[in-house]
Amino acid sequence: MGLELYLDLLSQPCRALYIFAKCNNIPFEFKHVELMKGQHRTEDFRKVNVLMKVPALRDGSFTLAESIAILLYLTRKFKTPDHWYPSDLQKRAKVDEYLSWQHVNIRGKGSKLFLTKVLLPLITGQPLPPEKLEGVTEELNVVLEQFEEKFLQNKPFIAGSEVSLADLVALVELMQPVGAGYNLFEERPKLAEWRSRVEEAVGKKLFQEAHEGILKAKNLTADKIAPELMEHFKHHLLKQTGQN
Amino acid sequence: VLPWDETDVHSHPCSKKVFVLRKTCPTEQKLEWPSNSEGAAKVSLLKKVPALKDGDFTLAECTAILLYLTRKYNTPDHWYPSDIQKRAQVDEYLSWHHANIRANAPKTMWIKVLIPLFTGQPLPAEKLQEVMEGLSTSLKQFEERFLQDKAFIIGSEISLADLVAIVELMQPVGVGCDIFEDRPRLMEWRRRVEEAVGKELFFQAHEMILNIKELSNIQIDPQLKEHLAPVLMKMLK
């Protein structure tokens, strides 16, 4: 049994893994865990990841969760080209810095916008109040500014002249609000150029293939969500997005 | 005057982690960090502590700084093991930590001491309860997935993962929400971590947090209060 990656490409970290593995020709078995069908909450999947989240890796008897951990594991096991996680101490630190910061910032706010815009109306059965959308959009805009000012600056990529894990992780997260209908690249030429470079670096076709599902996410309807999952959302998501 | 910035304090858990690691490995260079937020802004555009300045090189984010130090100073292997599976387990915890333990543990301090300090009002009990529930869930997952029946997160030796976890969990302890009280397995792990880094050093690093309630007696500049109060309230949402 070879390497197994448990993925659903609707999930940002899953896309990062998928793209990384494919563009580095890392052999793996794609185990589809359909989030909308609640397959991440089954007993079977729990054996792979007790935290019930995707992505997850199984390599023989070794299991691993958290996309950053999995990405780093793959760079080491398959000795991928240096630029992904540079051996230069300072460049590597810059990648680490972004990968740490992004959790509650780009990832946090990007996810929040997606959940609020796409899932919340499906759960409540009500249209989204405009102030709510404005609020989450503004939060995302703040971190986008920090991203440009602090991490990207005037460089082609976050770590300098070559693409790294930081860029890949950043871009897949930014595609989530795009999938929700917020085209954040439209009025941000520097970000749009960086996006082009990253897509070029991993392969445009692969990038587009990975994002096919999320770019249709706006069309998600309540009947596509498994009832047990809907219940779970009602309990957890409402709290997360500040509803009662 | 406390070195504030919008969301972090000087006695932030991350600063403690760096402090502990620095002390446990012999280094020639003195790694200092700025003692006020203006100084911090020059070092880190994000205006947060901890921040590192090593010649012209500046770095933010404690995970990044800890990893940089382990590499630059060749610290003992167990901190960030060269075995790729053990290393992956450290990475896994360090990643999960952000949206889980770190999402709730510091809020106990905000709710019980810091926000009332700045707004002049105590917060409703439900706010703390919400946070403690969230923290409870994270602690359950921590025990189930990360610690299990091992001495430390990666097995028989302490690593960065344990250090990052423990300093965050000392925040609620400092404000009287002793999460170790009814969790014997966690309590034993805590004792092992303290032992491994050195009890004296551990308590030195946590002196401010464990006496945080004394902060309630200090005078805060009214302008600063006015500026920070709404920001702090927003943080809780």
Side-chain angles (χ1 to χ4, degrees):
Chain A
M1 191 176 44
L3 191 73
E4 296 174 341
L5 289 179
Y6 290 76
L7 308 169
D8 181 331
L9 297 181
L10 284 180
S11 137
Q12 309 90 303
C14 289
R15 295 196 293 271
L17 268 185
Y18 180 78
I19 292 171
F20 183 74
K22 285 265 176 186
C23 88
N24 282 287
N25 297 309
I26 292 170
F28 70 94
E29 198 185 328
F30 185 118
K31 301 288 243 183
H32 197 189
V33 179
E34 288 190 66
L35 294 175
M36 290 299 141
K37 290 191 178 155
Q39 288 177 353
H40 54 301
R41 301 178 62 76
T42 59
E43 266 316 299
D44 264 347
F45 183 64
R46 235 179 151 256
K47 292 181 190 140
V48 179
N49 183 12
V50 72
L51 300 170
M52 295 187 286
K53 297 219 166 144
V54 286
L57 166 151
R58 183 150 60 183
D59 192 3
S61 55
F62 179 62
T63 59
L64 192 62
E66 294 293 311
S67 67
I68 309 272
I70 300 174
L71 284 167
L72 292 173
Y73 178 77
L74 294 179
T75 64
R76 291 158 185 149
K77 180 159 179 162
F78 294 93
K79 301 192 169 33
T80 52
D82 188 70
H83 64 82
W84 287 111
Y85 195 53
S87 40
D88 173 85
L89 213 59
Q90 292 187 359
K91 286 201 169 127
R92 178 167 288 196
K94 284 294 165 187
V95 175
D96 288 334
E97 189 188 51
Y98 180 74
L99 293 179
S100 172
W101 179 82
Q102 60 96 31
H103 287 278
V104 302
N105 295 284
I106 295 284
R107 172 158 172 70
K109 307 304 179 185
S111 298
K112 201 171 171 192
L113 189 145
F114 179 82
L115 295 172
T116 305
K117 194 158 191 255
V118 176
L119 284 184
L120 200 57
L122 297 181
I123 297 168
T124 59
Q126 307 277 343
L128 188 66
E131 330 76 72
K132 212 153 174 62
L133 184 59
E134 267 163 40
V136 297
T137 306
E138 192 41 47
E139 281 180 46
L140 178 58
N141 289 341
V142 166
V143 301
L144 284 173
E145 213 185 301
Q146 290 179 323
F147 176 70
E148 286 198 59
E149 254 183 53
K150 161 71 179 174
F151 294 97
L152 193 53
Q153 294 167 354
N154 289 315
K155 300 165 278 156
F157 299 101
I158 292 167
S161 56
E162 289 188 278
V163 77
S164 72
L165 292 179
D167 305 283
L168 181 55
V169 165
L171 185 54
V172 297
E173 291 291 342
L174 292 178
M175 294 304 289
Q176 206 77 353
V178 170
Y182 176 43
N183 196 351
L184 55 98
F185 292 103
E186 217 161 46
E187 287 170 16
R188 294 182 175 88
K190 200 159 70 154
L191 268 194
E193 277 163 36
W194 163 79
R195 171 187 168 176
S196 262
R197 287 192 288 271
V198 180
E199 286 188 38
E200 203 65 65
V202 303
K204 278 195 192 274
K205 203 163 149 222
L206 172 60
F207 187 86
Q208 273 155 26
E209 184 202 323
H211 286 87
E212 219 182 291
I214 198 62
L215 291 175
K216 295 189 196 139
K218 295 194 290 292
N219 305 325
L220 192 64
T221 48
D223 59 315
K224 295 253 164 54
I225 304 176
E228 324 80 71
L229 191 63
M230 190 61 106
E231 272 319 299
H232 172 75
F233 278 156
K234 283 191 177 138
H235 183 65
H236 289 270
L237 202 59
L238 292 182
K239 252 204 283 180
Q240 234 184 74
T241 54
Q243 306 270 98
N244 287 319
Chain B
V1 174
L2 280 176
W4 288 100
D5 89 307
E6 288 200 7
T7 52
D8 283 26
V9 294
H10 182 67
S11 58
H12 190 275
C14 287
S15 297
K16 288 185 293 218
K17 287 168 222 164
V18 179
F19 181 71
V20 171
L21 193 63
R22 172 184 142 198
K23 288 273 183 160
T24 56
C25 54
T27 66
E28 284 305 321
Q29 288 198 295
K30 259 223 167 243
L31 293 171
E32 289 177 25
W33 55 90
S35 59
N36 58 60
S37 58
E38 236 183 70
K42 292 194 191 110
V43 176
S44 161
L45 272 174
L46 292 166
K47 299 185 197 172
K48 292 195 180 181
V49 284
L52 168 152
K53 192 169 195 290
D54 194 2
D56 284 331
F57 178 62
T58 62
L59 191 62
E61 294 295 313
C62 90
T63 299
I65 298 172
L66 284 169
L67 292 174
Y68 179 78
L69 294 178
T70 62
R71 290 160 183 150
K72 180 157 182 168
Y73 295 95
N74 286 311
T75 54
D77 189 69
H78 64 81
W79 286 114
Y80 195 54
S82 39
D83 172 86
I84 66 169
Q85 288 188 1
K86 288 210 161 106
R87 182 168 286 196
Q89 288 179 305
V90 177
D91 289 333
E92 187 188 47
Y93 181 76
L94 293 179
S95 172
W96 179 83
H97 175 83
H98 288 273
N100 295 276
I101 299 285
R102 185 153 167 62
N104 281 305
K107 283 184 185 166
T108 55
M109 200 171 77
W110 290 105
I111 292 173
K112 285 196 95 177
V113 175
L114 299 172
I115 295 180
L117 184 64
F118 275 79
T119 61
Q121 309 269 353
L123 281 170
E126 307 91 68
K127 271 270 168 235
L128 185 63
Q129 202 184 355
E130 218 179 279
V131 166
M132 291 309 289
E133 272 169 22
L135 188 52
S136 243
T137 304
S138 298
L139 287 172
K140 192 158 168 264
Q141 292 179 330
F142 177 73
E143 287 199 60
E144 221 180 350
R145 168 66 186 171
F146 298 99
L147 191 55
Q148 295 170 10
D149 288 319
K150 299 167 277 162
F152 298 100
I153 292 169
I154 59 160
S156 56
E157 287 188 283
I158 191 175
S159 71
L160 292 180
D162 304 281
L163 187 56
V164 163
I166 197 87
V167 296
E168 207 77 54
L169 293 176
M170 292 304 287
Q171 305 271 84
V173 174
V175 293
C177 300
D178 194 347
I179 51 103
F180 294 102
E181 223 162 38
D182 298 319
R183 296 182 174 92
R185 195 159 59 159
L186 272 191
M187 186 68 227
E188 277 164 39
W189 164 77
R190 172 187 161 177
R191 290 214 176 95
R192 287 190 289 268
V193 175
E194 288 178 19
E195 208 60 67
V197 302
K199 279 189 195 270
E200 210 189 304
L201 172 60
F202 186 84
F203 284 105
Q204 193 187 0
H206 287 94
E207 210 182 313
M208 197 169 183
I209 287 296
L210 292 174
N211 293 300
I212 200 80
K213 286 197 164 151
E214 285 174 20
L215 259 192
S216 319
N217 301 322
I218 74 166
Q219 290 299 327
I220 308 269
D221 176 65
Q223 265 193 325
L224 188 60
K225 256 193 198 183
E226 219 182 282
H227 170 67
L228 280 183
V231 175
L232 295 173
M233 288 311 296
K234 224 169 125 198
M235 258 192 71
L236 272 192
K237 296 236 171 90

